[in-house]
Amino acid sequence: MRALRALLTLPLLGVLCHPRDAGARIGAGAELPVETPATRSGEPPDVVVTARRRGEAKVGAETEFDENQIGARGADSIEDLLTRLAPVIGNGGGDPVILINGHPAGFDRSVLAYPAEALSRLEVLKPQASAVYAAPAGKRVVNLVLKPKFSSLTIDTGVNWATAGGQYGGTVAVGRVAIAGDTRWNVQARFGHDSALFKNARRISRPAGSFDGDGYVAGVDGGEIDPRLSDAAGKIVTVAAIPPQARSGTPAIGDFVGTAGRMTPLDPNAFDTLQPSRRTIALDAGVTRPVGDFSVTLGISANSSKMEGLRGLPMAAFVIPAGSRWSPFADDVLLTRPFDGARALRTFNDAKSLSGSLTVTGAVSGWQATVALSYLRNWMDNLLEGGVDLAKIGQLIDARDPRFNPYGPWDKSLLLATRSRSSGDTLSARLNLQKNIVDLPAGPLSWSLAADASQARTHARQSDNSGSAIAPTDVSFRQVNGQMSLNAPLLRRGGSTLPPLGDLSVNMWLGGQMMTRTSSQARLGGGVNWSPIQAAQFGAVYEYAGTAPSFDQLDAPLTRTIMRVFDYARQEVAEPIWVTGGNPALQRGSRRTLTLSAMVQPLGQQLLMLNVNYRQTVAKGGNAGFPELSPAIEAAFPERVTRDAAGRLIAVDARAINIAHDTDSSLFSSIVVRFSGGGHPPAGQAAAAAANPLQFTVSLNHNWHLKSEMLIRPGIPVIDRLGGGTGASRHEVNVQFSAGLRGAGADFGVAWSSPTRINQGVDDTNGAYRVTPPIVVSVSAFIDPDALFPGLKDNALAKGVKASLSVSNLLNSYRRVRSADGGPLPGFSRDEVDPLGRVMQVTVRKRF
């Protein structure tokens, strides 16, 4: 009888070990024997063997997506899939931590370029996973489980264009991925280009002034240039184009007779871009394979990004005095000319990088270890041309320099320009260790250790248009981070002699950071996770962390670009020089964070998930990014804003700022509904249809900012971001609906923010500007014909083809700003606020 029972037990092993229930996980504990009548009577119990699912992480999944659900999203890559699933993944702050088959990815990001079809499943882990994997508190952790066998060659082509015209772009990508068990490799090349958007493609008023392609002379007071010229031309001459003879020698008055009354006016908006052209080239390759008991991943990446914009025609207007060798006229004349014909001022940024990484994962003396090394080399070239150097031209005219011909070709030294070149490298190392150190009644006590170290060096050089160095700099920076985490399950549902209190676990962490030019920073915190019933989970996390500016915030090379902003002081659109880069004056600080969360799944099986998350952050000292240039911000940072004698906005130093105190609290809530429309197919329905049901996902996210106040320094008013200080919205709502199956699907998304205001003064609420953020609607759809129609699987042309269409900003909405009396403000027209508007994109992918 016992032998027969054992034989019957083994074939049922696959049923007893259902993938969704198999394997002990941290926080849940290992399965304990349950008393049965057989054990009470002395009979040997049935043998039940459990095993971990392939690629399972050490923390259970809060949300899981299988192949059907992944295929219904229509994503072309894993990175694209994560973007589409962002409302479901949650608000952990920034990109999630990535695991590959249950192990930390280290510096390996090449997996994000894999086709989404390479995934067997995607798991969003429970909140305590951030502590288990020694990630920052509150970070969501996503486990990517790859298929054991997969091979794909893909070619992607896409085009995008603004429906209002004037801008277009496209991408081409070729990728190869192969997975065979624990061995995988990939290579991908990608090229993208977006054309510039010029002002004359939109309804934007022309700037004041005269814009001419050849140049001309005129009377200083607008009157007659010279009676002799009028007599020779037979009419009163008030303007005359520069004659060809004047470009190479001293002109005579007769040379201007043929050009009398002639000009070559140009449209300045045809030489000014609202958005620069962009070109990107990327090459990524990686390979992962077992080496003994370890898994080794090598990756390389090369990237090039170039942006080019135009800033209008550089015109110069100056007086040539009577008696100059360059003037045949009896009186002074005003010469107006471009620097070099139709050559526009340029803004240019070229960034290149080359990186390599090595990641080793495996078990060492009972520890699950991940060691990663990375090296990055980068180069940057930035050019900003500001206009003609009128001061230098005035000096040459006053000095009567015979070598300076005001009509002829000009040397580039007469053009104001700043060029910044920099190069640098960063060497980084990362260590992650995890181990179950003791078995508690509710599960294993796990210990995680993480350490990061990096060294960065940068050489930067600025020069003017003549090539003379302005401020060469060489800086280096070292940083070391470490964190130790403990995760202890205290109670387990059904496994305790105490009253049924559910699952209860606590996690604690202690860490520190040491950086160049600053003292060490401590970090410590703890969290509690309680699940009284399977359908509900509650959590609380508190963390204290010393903060210090990063290498880029301190020592990044200065970059000058042109930013189109609204100048509230003059109530006009301005295009100041926007300075970004490192700020060596930044100081250290501290941050305290409290997070309370609740998650309920009342219907089970992930049909309905309700999340509520309260987060409060209090920072003392430290730094923050430079906010929008509102009146309150300009009042707090007058030294950061440069204006000319007329009060026009010329430049803004937008580098990171020091703060004295910053308080922020918010309540995030979400509702996610996921269900399958397949149900139980009737008898006789094709098995393929039953295995590919229609998937529906609806998500509603609401972020309610309760408080957001910043004190720059004692003695000045507190800036209330939500109360008119920076125009931040109190409420943000995002709705997303997705329906599809493997072969076709569609997404519909709406993003809304509540109206707000920007005070004209620090406390001027009566005269505040009224701000109405746009309602942004986006839609997308895809079709994979051979997945829908089995008859096309043998068609070489249709097999593996997927076509996608997406429309962003469907309603062509834009941010509206009005004065206190409700009237429109200059500079906030449809084309000035969001000149790109509605954008459509069509992508075709072919898999071989």
Side-chain angles (χ1 to χ4, degrees), residues 230-250:
S230 298
D231 291 341
K235 59 181 178 180
I236 300 297
V237 180
T238 58
V239 296
I242 299 175
Q245 300 90 330
R247 301 190 183 279
S248 58
T250 304

Side-chain angles (χ1 to χ4, degrees), residues 676-728:
S676 171
H680 298 285
Q685 184 172 342
N692 187 21
L694 189 61
Q695 308 286 338
F696 296 92
T697 301
V698 181
S699 65
L700 170 63
N701 296 338
H702 176 213
N703 202 1
W704 182 3
H705 297 279
L706 304 174
K707 185 178 181 180
S708 184
E709 294 181 346
M710 177 172 59
L711 175 64
I712 304 302
R713 51 184 172 269
I716 66 174
V718 173
I719 297 176
D720 184 355
R721 299 184 182 94
L722 302 173
T726 62

Side-chain angles (χ1 to χ4, degrees), residues 131-144:
V132 172
Y133 289 96
K139 274 281 191 180
R140 298 312 305 262
V141 181
V142 173
N143 183 28
L144 306 175

Side-chain angles (χ1 to χ4, degrees), residues 311-316 337-345 387-388 410 415:
R311 298 193 53 224
L313 284 174
M315 300 295 298
R337 60 159 291 177
F339 176 79
D340 183 16
R343 182 197 184 282
L345 294 172
V388 180
W410 282 352
L415 195 64

Side-chain angles (χ1 to χ4, degrees), residues 349-421:
N349 184 272
D350 186 9
K352 297 181 175 66
S353 66
L354 179 64
S355 63
S357 65
L358 168 67
T359 304
V360 181
T361 302
V364 180
S365 300
W367 291 87
Q368 183 61 43
T370 299
V371 180
L373 299 174
S374 173
Y375 177 77
L376 169 68
R377 179 74 176 173
N378 58 70
W379 302 264
M380 187 183 72
D381 185 2
N382 177 263
L383 171 68
L384 177 64
E385 295 179 340
V388 180
D389 190 347
L390 294 177
K392 188 172 183 179
I393 290 176
Q395 294 172 1
L396 294 172
I397 292 292
D398 294 341
R400 299 180 181 271
D401 189 335
R403 297 168 297 177
F404 175 66
N405 181 355
Y407 309 109
W410 282 352
D411 185 82
K412 68 176 184 178
S413 62
L414 293 178
L415 195 64
L416 295 172
T418 302
R419 191 166 205 130
S420 303
R421 290 187 173 94

Side-chain angles (χ1 to χ4, degrees), residues 714-773:
I716 66 174
V718 173
I719 297 176
D720 184 355
R721 299 184 182 94
L722 302 173
T726 62
S729 294
R730 188 172 293 274
H731 298 277
E732 298 170 350
V733 177
N734 183 284
V735 180
Q736 186 182 67
F737 173 75
S738 173
L741 59 139
R742 283 188 292 175
D747 285 292
F748 178 82
V750 180
W752 173 86
S753 298
S754 61
T756 182
R757 70 175 190 264
I758 296 178
N759 298 336
Q760 291 189 20
V762 177
D763 297 315
D764 185 10
T765 58
N766 294 325
Y769 301 102
R770 307 300 172 180
V771 181
T772 304

Side-chain angles (χ1 to χ4, degrees), residues 468-487:
S468 301
I470 298 176
T473 58
D474 288 280
V475 294
S476 60
F477 188 85
R478 292 182 179 87
Q479 178 175 328
V480 178
N481 298 310
Q483 179 172 307
M484 178 185 69
S485 305
L486 286 174
N487 190 85

Side-chain angles (χ1 to χ4, degrees), residues 59-113:
V59 176
E62 177 183 272
T63 305
E64 183 177 309
F65 296 86
D66 60 22
E67 290 186 47
N68 284 331
Q69 294 162 336
I70 292 171
R73 305 306 291 230
D76 289 331
S77 66
I78 294 178
E79 184 173 23
D80 184 21
L81 178 65
L82 291 174
T83 300
R84 293 170 185 253
L85 295 179
V88 181
I89 293 174
N91 67 331
D95 296 331
V97 175
I98 299 297
L99 308 181
I100 303 175
N101 294 336
H103 301 297
F107 294 110
D108 180 22
R109 310 297 290 181
S110 63
V111 70
L112 299 181

